[in-house]
Amino acid sequence: MAKVVVTRKIPGSGIKMLQEAGFEVAVSPQDRVLARNELLNFIQGADGVLTQLNDKVDESFISAAGANLKVVANFAVGFDNLDLPALLSHNIVATNTPDVLTEAVAEHTIALIFAISRRIVEADKLARSQTLEFGPSVLLGMELNGKTLGILGLGRIGSRVAEIGKAVGMEVAYYDVKKNSEFESKVGAIFKITPEELLAVSDIVSIHVPLLNSTKHLINAERLKMMKPTSYLINTSRGPVVDEVALTQSLKSGVIKGAALDVFENEPRLSPGLENLANVVLTPHIASATTEARSAMGELAAKNIIAVLSGQSPLTPIKKP
Ligand code: GLV
């Protein structure tokens, strides 16, 4: 009987699907990220592993699992935790969970945009303090209508954020390595040929690129200075795309107006000083955390494992970025 290891409990019927497919299914009894040694022990003898984005899958993972390992199904759309060349060299299929979380992540991005531009978290604290009444100049924010939403990375999630931004009256500009004329005419979006041009025109910059060598610290001190001093930076992609120390400094010194972040360079830690700033909204990597998305992610990961272990093609194999 093939053995499938699930490194952390997941919502929805993914685990049941694996059991009903006839596999021996071992689900981590701990509802937390496994320490490296726990993880490497737990995956021994697996034919398939359903991994989390905080499980690093590299040569040591592959050798700990052993020679039967045929598929690693990552419970995430992002896959920077996987060493794809290593998996390929051992003929192990890698899959991710695109599409099923697009809406959840796009909605969370929009929630962060509203939260930072209308100072919702600051206002919530003040309302709870029961000290602040209505005042003409109290907690002024920025309207989105008519402002420019700059999308950095026009993949599935970036495109959906752009559509919702348009629906709330924003102008949309985008930068991507590929120009998308069809999307431009559908949404009325304007293509900027460099990230720098996008940063210069945007009131809100929202990051939707994968983490690659070429995107690490894409937003650094120099590029932050190219943004408008009245603008906001939103990141729901991967923390290391932004130089967080440089961002913290820029937020302190007023280089940009504020930031709303769901991802961080060294999760769950924050760069020193970030937690003390009033002009940031922070959420702990929850952009895809809806019951709908997380259940569908588990089910898609399970379907990928079932397909591969039954000799069929996976539904969502990871393609080289
Ligand atoms: C979450 O960050 C994901 O990549 O799915």
Side-chain angles (χ1 to χ4, degrees):
M1 191 193 281
K3 177 175 172 184
V4 176
V5 170
V6 180
T7 66
R8 189 162 178 178
K9 232 168 77 187
I10 50 171
S13 33
I15 291 169
K16 195 159 153 258
M17 288 164 65
L18 291 166
Q19 287 161 339
E20 284 175 0
F23 304 128
E24 174 195 342
V25 183
V27 183
S28 169
Q30 316 289 347
D31 190 12
R32 59 167 171 79
V33 181
L34 293 180
R36 188 71 184 164
N37 62 330
E38 292 175 310
L39 177 70
L40 296 189
N41 277 330
F42 192 52
I43 60 172
Q44 277 176 29
D47 294 83
V49 185
L50 196 157
T51 50
Q52 296 297 320
L53 57 81
N54 25 30
D55 298 328
K56 193 169 161 53
V57 177
D58 56 8
E59 282 290 354
S60 66
F61 179 105
I62 295 168
S63 83
N68 289 341
L69 186 63
K70 291 170 202 67
V71 55
V72 169
N74 211 32
F75 183 86
V77 67
F79 45 82
D80 45 283
N81 59 315
L82 308 183
D83 181 342
L84 293 180
L87 288 163
L88 191 67
S89 74
H90 292 273
N91 288 320
I92 298 164
V93 175
T95 67
N96 65 341
T97 59
D99 297 316
V100 292
L101 47 58
T102 299
E103 210 59 48
V105 178
E107 287 180 10
H108 191 73
T109 306
I110 296 293
L112 289 177
I113 293 174
F114 277 116
I116 190 67
S117 63
R118 296 306 302 272
R119 306 175 62 178
I120 299 294
V121 175
E122 276 180 90
D124 175 270
K125 283 200 191 93
L126 286 164
R128 287 169 201 265
S129 76
Q130 305 180 55
T131 57
L132 197 66
E133 289 182 71
F134 167 85
S137 305
V138 168
L139 286 167
L140 300 184
M142 181 186 86
E143 270 173 36
L144 299 180
N145 187 35
K147 301 295 190 310
T148 298
L149 171 60
I151 302 286
L152 199 48
L154 193 75
R156 300 177 193 84
I157 297 168
S159 307
R160 186 64 189 131
V161 171
E163 284 173 356
I164 305 175
K166 195 76 188 180
V168 298
M170 300 193 79
E171 302 298 327
V172 175
Y174 76 99
Y175 167 77
D176 193 278
V177 285
K178 273 188 285 179
K179 180 171 157 60
N180 186 337
S181 307
E182 198 187 318
F183 184 82
E184 285 167 37
S185 37
K186 185 176 150 212
V187 172
I190 298 162
F191 178 62
K192 296 289 170 191
I193 55 170
T194 61
E196 289 78 9
E197 276 190 48
L198 183 78
L199 298 177
V201 299
S202 302
D203 298 294
I204 305 270
V205 173
S206 191
I207 305 173
H208 301 286
V209 294
L211 176 60
L212 306 168
N213 288 337
S214 57
T215 60
K216 177 152 195 248
H217 285 189
L218 178 65
I219 300 297
N220 54 20
E222 202 186 327
R223 291 209 173 99
L224 285 161
K225 287 196 194 107
M226 296 172 189
M227 291 175 64
K228 298 182 186 181
T230 49
S231 67
Y232 298 97
L233 182 71
I234 316 296
N235 190 9
T236 54
S237 64
R238 283 291 182 270
V241 175
V242 176
D243 177 343
E244 201 174 295
V245 170
L247 174 64
T248 305
Q249 192 47 46
S250 303
L251 288 163
K252 268 187 197 158
S253 58
V255 171
I256 62 170
K257 182 104 179 172
L261 310 170
D262 183 54
V263 287
F264 306 93
E265 273 205 85
N266 298 298
E267 293 173 12
R269 293 186 302 282
L270 303 177
S271 68
L274 190 59
E275 81 276 21
N276 300 322
L277 299 178
N279 56 344
V280 292
V281 171
L282 309 174
T283 55
H285 208 144
I286 58 159
S288 68
T290 62
T291 305
E292 294 88 341
R294 291 283 169 86
S295 302
M297 288 162 72
E299 285 146 20
L300 179 54
K303 282 184 195 162
N304 276 315
I305 293 175
I306 294 167
V308 175
L309 296 185
S310 324
Q312 286 153 21
S313 302
L315 285 81
T316 51
I318 294 175
K319 299 184 192 95
K320 209 168 167 282

